[in-house]
Amino acid sequence: MSDYNWCHNPDCHKIQTQSRIRGSGDNKVLRTVKIKVYQPETPHIYDFFCNQNCLHQFLRKFCREIANIRPVKQPSETPIKIEKTKEESYRYRHNDNGAYERVPYIATRTTINSVDNDNG
Ligand SMILES: [Zn+2]
């Protein structure tokens, strides 16, 4: 069994492409794009929008409604541990002969580590 969705951009049918033309003779229309859904059990954003342009037209038009689906009134925070390590690295310097020379230096690498919060 195959499933289909119509593109959810309310203006999909106003975009002038050959692929949207339907009808015969003098009764031609531009029609909303029909999208084949291959895996309904694992929905994908492009099961609902025929392309990026339609997705973004929809997002621009309904951004407030979308944000109100899951309002964010305050920031969230993820506990982390910062690890700083020194390591030898190189930068390249242009010299007077028009060539590059390799110059060693000690770089500081910052690593962000997750904190296991399950016990806390
Ligand atoms: Zn569309």
Side-chain angles (χ1 to χ4, degrees):
M1 191 193 98
S2 9
D3 291 323
Y4 292 90
N5 285 332
W6 296 105
C7 178
H8 279 54
N9 174 15
D11 296 323
C12 183
H13 68 287
K14 294 175 185 171
I15 300 167
Q16 297 181 357
T17 63
Q18 302 248 358
S19 61
R20 288 176 172 84
I21 298 172
R22 294 292 181 277
S24 59
D26 289 336
N27 298 313
K28 298 249 193 257
V29 295
L30 293 170
R31 183 181 290 164
T32 300
V33 171
K34 190 179 188 181
I35 303 160
K36 184 164 175 37
V37 177
Y38 291 96
Q39 293 180 299
E41 62 283 355
T42 53
H44 189 273
I45 192 68
Y46 292 109
D47 291 343
F48 303 94
F49 298 94
C50 68
N51 60 30
Q52 249 186 73
N53 181 33
C54 276
L55 169 60
H56 282 270
Q57 282 188 11
F58 178 92
L59 292 174
R60 268 197 302 280
K61 191 163 191 168
F62 296 111
C63 55
R64 280 182 209 284
E65 288 87 344
I66 293 164
N68 283 335
I69 292 170
R70 189 187 170 281
V72 177
K73 304 288 188 195
Q74 60 189 32
S76 299
E77 295 179 346
T78 302
I80 55 166
K81 288 271 187 272
I82 297 292
E83 185 184 340
K84 297 235 183 221
T85 52
K86 304 268 187 208
E87 58 187 57
E88 192 167 303
S89 187
Y90 297 92
R91 50 171 69 100
Y92 290 85
R93 185 167 55 202
H94 202 79
N95 66 24
D96 294 335
N97 305 326
Y100 288 97
E101 61 179 322
R102 208 165 114 120
V103 182
Y105 75 103
I106 300 298
T108 303
R109 178 184 292 271
T110 302
T111 307
I112 298 173
N113 294 313
S114 306
V115 174
D116 182 10
N117 227 17
D118 294 343
N119 305 329

